[in-house]
Amino acid sequence: MERTTTKLYEADVAGMRTAYYMVEGRFTFDTGSLTRYGILIRRADGDEAEFPDVFGTALQARQFIRRLYRRKVTPATLGDIVYDHLCREDIRV
């Protein structure tokens, strides 16, 4: 898998610089390739959380990351938020 990260936002969250990234992963197969998008939140103290394969489009990832940034989400709570998002999407199907 080829992986790139793009910093979208940075904010002071509870006295610590926190950066919000979009992760782009390209998976290559014999029959072609697939690009998936995810999230990385990294704090200045080195604490981070990453979920690299959550969205099918960059737009979906960017919109989700914007909501995380606005709500000042930290790496500690990112897993629960991603899980809730995926469960909500699963119920809609």
Side-chain angles (χ1 to χ4, degrees), residues 30-76:
D30 293 338
T31 57
S33 64
L34 173 68
T35 302
R36 298 285 294 171
Y37 301 89
I39 307 117
L40 167 66
I41 299 178
R42 181 179 292 144
R43 293 177 60 99
D45 66 356
D47 187 22
E48 68 178 47
E50 179 179 355
F51 291 85
D53 182 9
V54 180
F55 302 100
T57 70
L59 177 62
Q60 291 171 325
R62 285 178 182 276
Q63 290 173 337
F64 190 79
I65 294 166
R66 183 177 52 225
R67 287 193 301 267
L68 298 174
Y69 161 72
R70 287 182 176 168
R71 290 174 175 88
K72 299 187 184 280
V73 172
T74 65

Side-chain angles (χ1 to χ4, degrees), residues 81-92:
I81 293 167
V82 169
Y83 177 79
D84 289 346
H85 173 77
L86 292 173
C87 288
R88 187 176 64 238
E89 290 298 313
D90 189 42
I91 290 170
R92 290 181 187 172

